Amino acid sequence: MNVIERIEHWGDAHHPRWLDLLRIVLGVVIFLKGVTFLADTESLRRLIEQTPVQIYTWGVVHYVAFAHLVGGILIAIGLLTRVAVGFQLPVLVGAVFLVNITRGLSFLNSELWISLVVLVLLLVFFVIGSGPYSLDYQMRGRRQDA
Protein backbone atom coordinates (compact mmCIF):
# COMPACT_ATOMS: atom_id res chain seq x y z
CA MET A 1 0.00 0.00 0.00
CA ASN A 2 1.55 3.30 -1.04
CA VAL A 3 1.31 6.57 0.87
CA ILE A 4 -1.71 7.92 -1.03
CA GLU A 5 -3.68 4.70 -0.51
CA ARG A 6 -2.84 4.79 3.21
CA ILE A 7 -4.02 8.40 3.48
CA GLU A 8 -7.26 7.53 1.66
CA HIS A 9 -7.84 4.51 3.90
CA TRP A 10 -7.18 6.54 7.06
CA GLY A 11 -9.46 9.34 5.84
CA ASP A 12 -12.28 6.93 5.05
CA ALA A 13 -11.98 5.18 8.41
CA HIS A 14 -11.91 8.42 10.45
CA HIS A 15 -14.61 10.48 8.79
CA PRO A 16 -17.46 11.73 10.99
CA ARG A 17 -20.68 12.11 9.05
CA TRP A 18 -21.19 15.76 10.07
CA LEU A 19 -18.11 16.62 8.04
CA ASP A 20 -20.06 15.70 4.91
CA LEU A 21 -22.47 18.56 5.58
CA LEU A 22 -19.49 20.87 6.04
CA ARG A 23 -18.02 19.62 2.73
CA ILE A 24 -21.29 20.32 0.92
CA VAL A 25 -21.51 23.84 2.37
CA LEU A 26 -17.86 24.47 1.45
CA GLY A 27 -18.49 23.35 -2.12
CA VAL A 28 -21.55 25.61 -2.44
CA VAL A 29 -19.63 28.59 -1.03
CA ILE A 30 -16.74 28.03 -3.44
CA PHE A 31 -19.18 27.67 -6.36
CA LEU A 32 -20.97 30.90 -5.42
CA LYS A 33 -17.63 32.70 -5.17
CA GLY A 34 -16.89 31.49 -8.69
CA VAL A 35 -20.23 32.89 -9.86
CA THR A 36 -19.37 36.29 -8.36
CA PHE A 37 -15.96 36.18 -10.05
CA LEU A 38 -17.64 35.48 -13.39
CA ALA A 39 -20.13 38.28 -12.84
CA ASP A 40 -17.32 40.77 -12.22
CA THR A 41 -14.10 39.55 -13.83
CA GLU A 42 -12.72 43.09 -13.83
CA SER A 43 -12.53 43.24 -10.03
CA LEU A 44 -10.84 39.83 -9.96
CA ARG A 45 -8.34 41.08 -12.55
CA ARG A 46 -7.58 44.14 -10.38
CA LEU A 47 -7.06 41.91 -7.32
CA ILE A 48 -4.59 39.73 -9.21
CA GLU A 49 -2.73 42.73 -10.62
CA GLN A 50 -2.19 44.06 -7.07
CA THR A 51 -0.13 41.00 -6.14
CA PRO A 52 3.66 41.33 -6.10
CA VAL A 53 3.97 38.41 -8.55
CA GLN A 54 3.86 39.32 -12.23
CA ILE A 55 1.73 36.68 -13.94
CA TYR A 56 -0.52 36.35 -16.96
CA THR A 57 -3.57 38.04 -15.48
CA TRP A 58 -6.34 36.88 -17.81
CA GLY A 59 -5.15 33.29 -17.67
CA VAL A 60 -5.28 33.36 -13.88
CA VAL A 61 -8.71 35.05 -13.92
CA HIS A 62 -10.11 32.25 -16.07
CA TYR A 63 -8.37 29.54 -14.02
CA VAL A 64 -9.75 30.94 -10.74
CA ALA A 65 -13.30 31.27 -12.07
CA PHE A 66 -13.27 27.82 -13.70
CA ALA A 67 -11.66 26.14 -10.69
CA HIS A 68 -14.23 27.67 -8.34
CA LEU A 69 -17.23 26.81 -10.52
CA VAL A 70 -16.32 23.22 -11.38
CA GLY A 71 -14.40 22.52 -8.17
CA GLY A 72 -17.22 23.85 -6.02
CA ILE A 73 -19.74 21.55 -7.67
CA LEU A 74 -17.41 18.54 -7.43
CA ILE A 75 -16.67 19.20 -3.76
CA ALA A 76 -20.36 19.68 -2.95
CA ILE A 77 -21.45 16.40 -4.56
CA GLY A 78 -18.34 14.57 -3.39
CA LEU A 79 -17.07 13.51 -6.81
CA LEU A 80 -13.28 13.48 -7.29
CA THR A 81 -13.07 15.49 -4.10
CA ARG A 82 -9.32 15.30 -3.61
CA VAL A 83 -8.68 16.28 -7.25
CA ALA A 84 -11.10 19.21 -6.99
CA VAL A 85 -9.47 20.32 -3.75
CA GLY A 86 -6.07 20.03 -5.43
CA PHE A 87 -7.18 22.54 -8.06
CA GLN A 88 -8.52 24.87 -5.35
CA LEU A 89 -5.39 24.88 -3.19
CA PRO A 90 -3.23 27.14 -5.43
CA VAL A 91 -6.10 29.61 -5.68
CA LEU A 92 -6.60 29.79 -1.92
CA VAL A 93 -2.88 29.88 -1.15
CA GLY A 94 -2.64 32.83 -3.54
CA ALA A 95 -5.70 34.45 -1.99
CA VAL A 96 -4.32 34.15 1.53
CA PHE A 97 -0.64 34.88 1.01
CA LEU A 98 -0.60 37.16 -2.05
CA VAL A 99 -3.90 39.04 -2.15
CA ASN A 100 -5.51 39.30 1.29
CA ILE A 101 -2.45 39.42 3.52
CA THR A 102 -1.26 42.59 1.76
CA ARG A 103 -4.21 44.38 3.35
CA GLY A 104 -2.92 43.62 6.83
CA LEU A 105 -3.46 41.08 9.59
CA SER A 106 -6.35 42.77 11.38
CA PHE A 107 -9.66 41.37 12.47
CA LEU A 108 -11.29 43.90 10.15
CA ASN A 109 -9.83 42.12 7.12
CA SER A 110 -12.68 39.62 6.84
CA GLU A 111 -11.65 38.38 3.38
CA LEU A 112 -8.35 37.17 4.84
CA TRP A 113 -10.04 35.22 7.61
CA ILE A 114 -12.64 33.71 5.27
CA SER A 115 -9.90 32.69 2.83
CA LEU A 116 -7.87 31.22 5.67
CA VAL A 117 -10.83 29.16 6.95
CA VAL A 118 -11.59 27.90 3.44
CA LEU A 119 -7.91 26.99 2.95
CA VAL A 120 -7.85 25.01 6.21
CA LEU A 121 -11.07 23.21 5.28
CA LEU A 122 -9.68 22.36 1.86
CA LEU A 123 -6.60 20.87 3.50
CA VAL A 124 -8.82 18.84 5.83
CA PHE A 125 -10.85 17.41 2.94
CA PHE A 126 -7.68 16.77 0.94
CA VAL A 127 -6.57 14.44 3.72
CA ILE A 128 -9.85 12.85 4.86
CA GLY A 129 -11.61 12.71 1.49
CA SER A 130 -15.27 13.06 0.67
CA GLY A 131 -16.96 10.80 3.22
CA PRO A 132 -19.92 8.44 3.20
CA TYR A 133 -22.45 10.92 1.75
CA SER A 134 -20.69 11.44 -1.56
CA LEU A 135 -20.67 10.15 -5.10
CA ASP A 136 -17.11 8.88 -4.57
CA TYR A 137 -18.36 6.64 -1.76
CA GLN A 138 -21.38 5.45 -3.78
CA MET A 139 -19.26 4.64 -6.81
CA ARG A 140 -16.68 2.81 -4.69
CA GLY A 141 -19.45 0.69 -3.18
CA ARG A 142 -20.83 -0.25 -6.60
CA ARG A 143 -17.36 -1.18 -7.87
CA GLN A 144 -16.83 -3.54 -4.91
CA ASP A 145 -20.27 -5.15 -5.44
CA ALA A 146 -19.59 -5.96 -9.08
Side-chain angles (χ1 to χ4, degrees):
M1 196 182 281
N2 65 24
V3 174
I4 294 175
E5 288 173 343
R6 278 191 251 152
I7 290 172
E8 286 180 355
H9 177 71
W10 184 89
D12 292 341
H14 298 88
H15 193 100
R17 297 193 191 285
W18 61 268
L19 278 177
D20 284 352
L21 178 62
L22 187 60
R23 175 189 43 83
I24 293 167
V25 169
L26 176 66
V28 170
V29 166
I30 290 172
F31 173 78
L32 292 176
K33 190 66 172 178
V35 169
T36 61
F37 284 153
L38 272 184
D40 191 10
T41 56
E42 188 61 29
S43 68
L44 177 58
R45 184 189 61 79
R46 282 192 303 266
L47 277 174
I48 293 170
E49 286 177 345
Q50 292 173 1
T51 63
V53 179
Q54 298 299 320
I55 50 180
Y56 179 62
T57 306
W58 283 110
V60 174
V61 166
H62 288 96
Y63 175 80
V64 168
F66 181 77
H68 276 18
L69 289 174
V70 175
I73 291 171
L74 291 176
I75 291 169
I77 64 175
L79 181 63
L80 301 171
T81 304
R82 288 187 175 101
V83 173
V85 167
F87 281 103
Q88 297 298 316
L89 287 175
V91 175
L92 268 294
V93 166
V96 170
F97 295 107
L98 296 177
V99 175
N100 293 325
I101 208 162
T102 59
R103 297 181 183 158
L105 288 172
S106 73
F107 285 107
L108 300 176
N109 188 358
S110 62
E111 283 290 322
L112 172 65
W113 299 111
I114 292 169
S115 297
L116 199 57
V117 167
V118 170
L119 178 62
V120 168
L121 288 175
L122 286 173
L123 290 171
V124 166
F125 289 113
F126 191 72
V127 171
I128 66 171
S130 53
Y133 299 120
S134 67
L135 286 179
D136 284 339
Y137 186 82
Q138 297 299 320
M139 290 170 55
R140 194 176 314 122
R142 288 189 184 136
R143 247 185 285 136
Q144 290 173 352
D145 291 341

